[in-house]
């Protein structure tokens, strides 16, 4: 019963309740991974509410913060446990651009949906994308860009990946991207909302 | 020390050290107060804009 | 009166009539100034940022033969030497941090901590001078020291020099080219003043749940300052609107409920305060403001110019049109990826849909950056003249 309560508290952004429940569940011997799963279910609901327009950025930032607090408690207990996930996605904001609010939401929701996300941060040079894809073999790469002046960096990064013979699917996201930008830079998908990203991931990973 | 003579105050918006505070410190002005005051206020506003510039980005 | 002065008067009237929601002789058209002008020269972005005279030369070359009314935007909004002199951490410019042709970057942090709220609210100006400046400037690490004193002198001198230069540049554009500046002075929504440079985006959004009363009190404390700052930076001018770049009031930052409670009241108070002084606000609504249009419509008639970036233009026209001047019509991405033909079609459509009965200024919606193409901007301006005659 408590696990459902945890998911619900997460979805309702009840910070104190979430932390208390995580501790209680741990204390009563529930497997840490089960607890993470319950939290993720709450996160999925948060994402759904955002998509429906019931939640806004401020709610998502709060959800991220609560999740972080919960994970801080759980992490020591997770060591050694193999976390199963649906697949690996590399993501970052491209060179020259430091906007990351949108990207962070996408990261949060992808994690919530059960993917392993390697977040490279902001102002990410193309070499770092290449390196990360080589290391992880990720079949999907997400690139966030808000500044139109940095859309050129999308193209350069995608070309750098292809030049190395790396062929992950690439999804670009941000407020000014569209079909034209997608074609111009040679990406496979474009996203103006986080759920576009989730849909693309589901397609790539067949999940 | 000088600082003991300085009153604490909350400057109203648009000012750093309002003229009325400084005038008290100057005491009686021997010449034309209006000229001193308007120049004081002009520079005070510049200082104010400088301080707030760094947050109004 | 010289020809250029006459031209200035004509364009000034065209623009201000539109701001008053009237129908001028033609739809006023705005030249979007930005880094793109530099890329057609052999000057680097770094040089253009540092050397104001140089960038003015470049701008002069681009605008000389174009017929437009108003100029918006800047290359030298922030003059790097002023930041360098104080070792200010807010921005990184090409030169010290990046190669010569990169743009600049803002470094967002919680420069004001949660525990600073009370002190800030009690005396904002003093808190900024004594606590904030030392935090954002390396040279102020030890206030009162030799290094800090020298840096303060440099910073203040640079501030005065740069402001003077900007004023002279404006006068030059007016006199030699007959060009009107879109705005005079600058202000912000109190929530953005607090959220952008002080608490940071994450900081302020979490504060809405953790210390909502502090957010409200701080925003209230900022209101008179944002009115004063606008008037001081405008040097008292009330003939042109005050620039107000708006950030966290855009969808999807805040729910309507939060928006109404935390963003709007203090921002509305600034706009109304300025309006009472005869100063209109250039409501630079970055991003999408569609869900809040009905609330914005509560403002006194004509007190703002509403800039359409990603806001639903038709809805903006319906809700605000007639009572407030609308500004925009050309999406920024079209200026990069479109062809001159597509730009022309877009201008025609925008004028038909938004400009029919006046109260409209044709412009790019958001900030135009280095990616825009010159031929598209020329096409936009020419098309405005072709289709924009009432
Ligand atoms: C907040 C903000 C900032 C903050 C950024 C804080 C941060 N940590 O991110 C600060 C103040 C630092 C900032 C700085 C600047 N900014 Co700014 N900023 C904005 C603003 C107001 C909101 C952006 C935002 O976060 N939106 C909310 C999020 C949730 O939406 P989103 O990013 O679109 O993300 C969603 C989708 O796009 C999608 N998505 C995004 N990325 C990805 C990735 C993937 C893989 C997927 C699947 C989906 C996806 O999912 C998200 C969730 O639904 C916008 C205007 C606006 N309202 O859009 C301007 C804006 C982006 N900024 C702009 C500019 C010009 C700048 C500056 C250059 C200006 C300056 N004066 O300082 C600097 C640039 C610094 C740099 N080098 O990057 C311009 C860009 C213009 C242009 N031509 O591109 C804008 C559009 C404003 C405007 N109208 O002119 N900015």
């Amino acid at each position: 019963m408590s696990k459902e309560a945890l998911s619900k508290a997460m979805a309702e952004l009840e910070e104190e309740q979430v932390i208390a429940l995580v501790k209680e569940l741990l204390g009563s011997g529930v497997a840490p991974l089960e607890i993470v799963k319950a939290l993720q279910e709450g996160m999925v609901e948060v994402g759904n509410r955002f998509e429906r327009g019931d939640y806004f950025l401020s709610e998502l930032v709060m959800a991220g913060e609560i999740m972080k607090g919960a994970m801080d408690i759980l992490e020591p207990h997770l060591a050694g446990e193999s976390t199963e996930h649906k697949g690996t996605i590399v993501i970052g904001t491209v060179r020259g651009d430091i906007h990351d609010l949108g990207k962070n939401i996408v990261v949060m929701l992808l994690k919530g949906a059960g993917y392993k996300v390697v977040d490279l941060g902001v102002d990410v040079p193309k070499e770092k994308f290449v390196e990360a894809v080589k290391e992880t073999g990720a079949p999907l790469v997400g690139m966030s860009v808000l500044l139109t002046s940095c859309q050129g960096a999308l193209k350069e990064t995608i070309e750098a990946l292809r030049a190395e013979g790396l062929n992950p699917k690439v999804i670009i996201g941000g407020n000014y991207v569209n079909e034209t930008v997608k074609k111009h830079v040679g990406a496979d998908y474009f996203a103006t909302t986080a759920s576009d990203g989730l849909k693309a991931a589901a397609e790539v990973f067949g999940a | 020390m000088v600082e003991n003579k300085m009153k604490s105050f909350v400057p109203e918006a648009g000012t750093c050290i309002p003229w009325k505070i400084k005038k008290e410190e100057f005491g009686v002005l021997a010449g034309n107060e209006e000229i001193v005051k308007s120049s004081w206020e002009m520079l005070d506003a510049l200082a104010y804009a400088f301080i707030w510039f760094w947050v109004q980005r | 009166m010289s020809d250029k002065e006459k031209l200035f008067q004509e364009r000034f009237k065209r623009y201000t009539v539109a701001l008053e929601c009237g129908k001028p002789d033609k739809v006023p058209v705005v030249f979007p100034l930005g880094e793109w002008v530099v890329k057609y020269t052999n000057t680097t972005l770094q040089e253009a940022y540092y050397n104001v005279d140089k960038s003015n030369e470049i701008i002069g070359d681009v605008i000389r033969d174009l017929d437009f009314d108003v100029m918006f935007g800047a290359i030298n909004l922030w003059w790097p030497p002023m930041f360098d002199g104080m070792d200010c951490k807010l921005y990184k410019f090409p030169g010290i941090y990046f190669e010569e042709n990169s743009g600049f970057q803002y470094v967002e942090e919680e420069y004001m901590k949660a525990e600073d709220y009370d002190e800030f609210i009690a005396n904002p100006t003093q808190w900024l001078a004594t606590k904030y400046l030392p935090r954002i400037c390396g040279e102020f690490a030890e206030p009162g020291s030799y290094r800090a004193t020298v840096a303060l002198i440099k910073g203040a001198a640079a501030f005065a020099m740069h402001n003077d230069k900007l004023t002279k540049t404006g006068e030059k554009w007016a006199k030699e080219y007959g060009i009107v500046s879109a705005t005079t002075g600058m202000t912000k929504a109190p929530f953005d003043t607090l959220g952008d440079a002080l608490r940071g985006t994450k900081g302020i959004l979490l504060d809405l749940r953790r210390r909502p009363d502090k957010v409200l009190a701080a925003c209230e404390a900022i209101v008179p300052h944002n009115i004063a700052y606008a008037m001081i930076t405008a040097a008292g001018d009330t003939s042109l609107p005050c620039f107000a770049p708006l950030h966290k009031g855009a969808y999807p930052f805040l729910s309507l409920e939060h928006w109404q409670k935390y963003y709007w009241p203090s921002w509305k108070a600034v706009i109304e305060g300025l309006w009472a002084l005869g100063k209109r606000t250039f409501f630079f609504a970055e991003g999408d403001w569609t869900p809040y249009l009905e609330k914005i419509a509560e403002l006194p008639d004509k007190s703002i110019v509403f800039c359409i970036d990603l806001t639903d233009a038709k809805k903006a026209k319906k809700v605000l049109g007639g009572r407030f001047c609308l500004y925009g019509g050309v999406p920024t991405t079209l200026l990069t990826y479109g062809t001159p033909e597509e730009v022309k079609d877009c201008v025609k459509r925008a004028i038909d849909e938004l400009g029919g009965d006046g109260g409209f200024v044709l412009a790019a919606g958001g900030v135009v950056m280095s990616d825009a193409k010159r031929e598209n901007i020329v096409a936009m301006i020419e098309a405005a003249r072709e289709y924009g005659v009432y």
Side-chain angles (χ1 to χ4, degrees):
Chain A
M1 138 84 210
S2 259
K3 271 192 287 174
E4 285 87 75
L6 179 59
S7 300
K8 184 152 181 286
M10 182 68 233
E12 298 288 336
L13 309 177
E14 298 290 350
E15 186 171 23
E16 283 162 26
Q17 216 182 323
V18 168
I19 301 301
L21 280 170
V22 166
K23 287 182 179 156
E24 191 187 309
L25 288 169
L26 264 180
S28 65
V30 176
L33 274 180
E34 290 294 306
I35 304 178
V36 173
K37 229 165 135 198
L39 286 165
Q40 281 178 344
E41 272 160 32
M43 264 324 209
V44 170
E45 177 58 20
V46 168
N48 291 340
R49 289 186 191 185
F50 179 65
E51 280 316 316
R52 284 203 306 266
D54 295 335
Y55 273 3
F56 293 75
L57 192 56
S58 109
E59 282 75 21
L60 291 179
V61 168
M62 190 66 204
E65 195 69 3
I66 298 174
M67 187 74 177
K68 198 167 141 262
M71 289 307 288
D72 284 348
I73 302 173
L74 285 164
E75 228 122 62
H77 303 274
L78 282 170
E81 300 218 24
S82 69
T83 31
E84 18 169 322
H85 54 74
K86 295 184 192 160
T88 304
I89 301 169
V90 166
I91 193 168
T93 302
V94 295
R95 181 74 175 192
D97 198 337
I98 54 120
H99 293 84
D100 66 358
L101 301 168
K103 182 210 69 184
N104 293 348
I105 291 176
V106 176
V107 169
M108 204 166 92
L109 297 181
L110 285 172
K111 280 187 180 164
Y115 296 97
K116 183 178 169 201
V117 183
V118 178
D119 184 356
L120 303 176
V122 299
D123 188 18
V124 179
K126 56 182 185 228
E127 295 81 11
K128 247 176 108 180
F129 274 103
V130 170
E131 204 182 300
V133 172
K134 275 190 185 160
E135 246 166 51
T136 59
L140 179 63
V141 176
M143 299 179 192
S144 185
V145 71
L146 275 259
L147 300 177
T148 53
S149 62
C150 292
Q151 292 181 349
L154 290 173
K155 193 167 187 233
E156 285 168 24
T157 310
I158 295 171
E159 281 169 2
L161 286 170
R162 305 302 183 223
E164 292 281 329
L166 301 166
N167 286 308
K169 294 279 183 222
V170 175
I171 178 164
I172 58 171
N175 55 353
Y176 287 132
V177 304
N178 53 29
E179 187 61 34
T180 314
V181 180
K182 185 196 102 179
K183 281 214 187 99
H184 178 77
V185 304
D188 301 291
Y189 305 92
F190 78 91
T192 53
T193 66
S195 65
D196 295 343
L198 289 171
K199 273 179 225 141
E203 209 176 298
V204 170
F205 294 95
Chain B
M1 282 295 287
V2 197
E3 63 191 275
N4 297 335
K5 281 207 329 216
M6 291 193 175
K7 289 211 303 200
S8 73
F9 57 88
V10 177
E12 66 252 31
T15 71
C16 298
I17 301 164
W19 171 246
K20 62 175 193 296
I21 300 271
K22 193 61 202 172
K23 182 175 137 74
E24 259 174 51
E25 293 174 7
F26 280 142
V28 179
L29 275 77
N32 183 330
E33 178 181 328
E34 214 24 65
I35 296 177
V36 183
K37 174 175 184 264
S38 62
S39 318
W40 176 275
E41 287 180 339
M42 183 187 71
L43 280 181
D44 199 58
L46 186 76
Y48 176 84
F50 178 78
I51 292 170
W52 279 83
F53 168 84
W54 304 96
V55 257
Q56 302 291 29
R57 51 143 312 274
Chain C
M1 210 193 273
S2 76
D3 282 359
K4 291 296 173 191
E5 275 170 77
K6 243 193 255 150
L7 197 56
F8 178 85
Q9 294 304 335
E10 208 179 276
R11 288 167 171 171
F12 181 84
K13 190 167 164 210
R14 191 171 293 142
Y15 182 47
T16 49
V17 165
L19 297 182
E20 286 282 328
C21 295
K23 202 184 211 179
D25 59 336
K26 298 174 194 168
V27 175
V29 56
V30 181
F31 176 85
L33 180 56
E35 283 95 340
W36 65 270
V37 298
V38 181
K39 100 181 150 186
Y40 294 99
T41 67
N42 51 19
T43 307
T44 63
L45 260 186
Q46 184 192 344
E47 255 179 295
Y49 285 144
Y50 273 79
N51 187 339
V52 180
D53 296 329
K54 181 87 206 179
S55 57
N56 282 345
E57 233 174 76
I58 294 172
I59 298 163
D61 284 345
V62 178
I63 62 178
R64 188 158 295 129
D65 303 317
L66 294 176
D67 174 25
F68 60 89
D69 303 294
V70 177
M71 181 132 88
F72 172 79
I75 296 178
N76 307 95
L77 201 53
W78 291 284
W79 191 41
M82 177 173 167
F83 291 76
D84 298 347
M86 300 179 21
D87 187 16
C88 175
K89 303 179 186 118
L90 290 185
Y91 289 94
K92 287 184 178 169
F93 296 95
I96 300 179
Y97 299 97
F98 307 124
E99 57 88 13
E100 291 170 290
N101 274 313
S102 327
F104 61 84
Q105 293 183 20
Y106 177 66
V107 184
E108 195 185 76
E109 261 175 52
E110 263 184 40
Y111 295 109
M112 172 179 158
K113 305 282 173 232
E115 51 277 19
D116 294 321
Y117 263 110
D118 290 339
E119 219 185 304
F120 172 80
I121 292 163
N123 194 342
T125 306
Q126 187 173 325
W127 186 86
L128 291 175
T130 59
K131 298 285 163 63
Y132 177 69
L133 281 181
R135 282 183 204 170
I136 61 165
C137 296
E139 291 288 334
F140 291 163
E142 270 178 68
S145 65
Y146 173 68
R147 295 285 296 252
T149 306
V150 171
L152 187 57
I153 295 168
K154 285 186 193 172
F159 183 67
M161 281 160 67
H162 186 57
N163 284 347
D164 188 51
K165 210 155 228 177
L166 293 184
T167 310
K168 293 226 169 76
T169 305
E171 284 165 3
K172 184 179 146 101
W173 297 148
K175 238 180 122 150
E176 291 178 19
Y177 300 92
I179 291 165
V180 183
S181 160
T183 59
T184 52
M186 126 82 155
T187 193
K188 291 179 71 134
F191 190 89
D192 286 328
T193 302
L194 185 66
D196 287 353
L198 295 172
R199 293 290 291 132
T201 308
K202 189 171 158 199
I204 198 165
L205 294 184
L206 294 178
D207 287 346
L208 295 182
R209 292 201 156 64
R210 294 186 170 155
R211 46 193 78 80
D213 298 346
K214 302 283 183 207
V215 174
L216 276 182
C219 286
E220 253 166 58
I222 292 170
V223 169
H225 291 282
N226 284 9
I227 295 171
Y229 188 80
M231 294 313 287
I232 291 173
T233 49
D237 172 72
T238 54
S239 71
L240 294 170
C242 182
F243 180 52
L246 302 169
H247 293 149
K248 295 174 174 80
Y251 175 81
F253 277 86
L254 304 177
S255 65
L256 188 58
E257 189 197 333
H258 274 170
W259 193 91
Q260 277 178 288
K261 188 158 177 208
Y262 298 106
Y263 195 88
W264 190 230
S266 52
W267 177 219
K268 190 168 176 225
V270 171
I271 295 171
E272 288 176 345
L274 286 171
W275 191 235
L277 300 171
K279 184 78 172 168
R280 179 178 286 119
T281 297
F282 194 83
F283 199 106
F284 196 64
E286 300 186 4
D288 180 3
W289 290 64
T290 313
Y292 317 109
L293 288 170
E294 272 87 10
K295 295 301 292 180
I296 295 168
E298 288 171 1
L299 289 167
D301 284 9
K302 300 175 191 174
S303 58
I304 61 165
V305 191
F306 185 85
C307 306
I308 302 168
D309 177 9
L310 299 172
T311 300
D312 180 337
K314 284 200 187 117
K315 179 124 192 260
K317 169 85 181 167
K318 202 168 132 226
V319 180
L320 302 176
R323 293 183 46 225
F324 305 94
C325 176
L326 300 176
Y327 173 108
V330 183
T332 35
T333 40
L334 191 63
L335 295 174
T336 305
Y337 297 102
T339 61
E341 267 319 303
E342 287 166 335
V343 172
K344 279 186 119 175
D345 291 345
C346 169
V347 167
K348 186 167 187 305
R349 238 179 301 124
I351 291 175
D352 288 346
E353 277 169 18
L354 301 169
D357 37 9
F360 174 62
V361 177
L362 186 90
V367 173
V368 173
M369 304 183 74
S370 60
D371 47 296
K373 288 207 189 98
R374 181 187 189 141
E375 65 260 31
N376 286 338
I377 287 167
V378 172
M380 165 180 148
I381 289 166
E382 287 176 356
R385 286 300 189 237
E386 189 180 335
Y387 305 118
V389 180
Y390 282 115

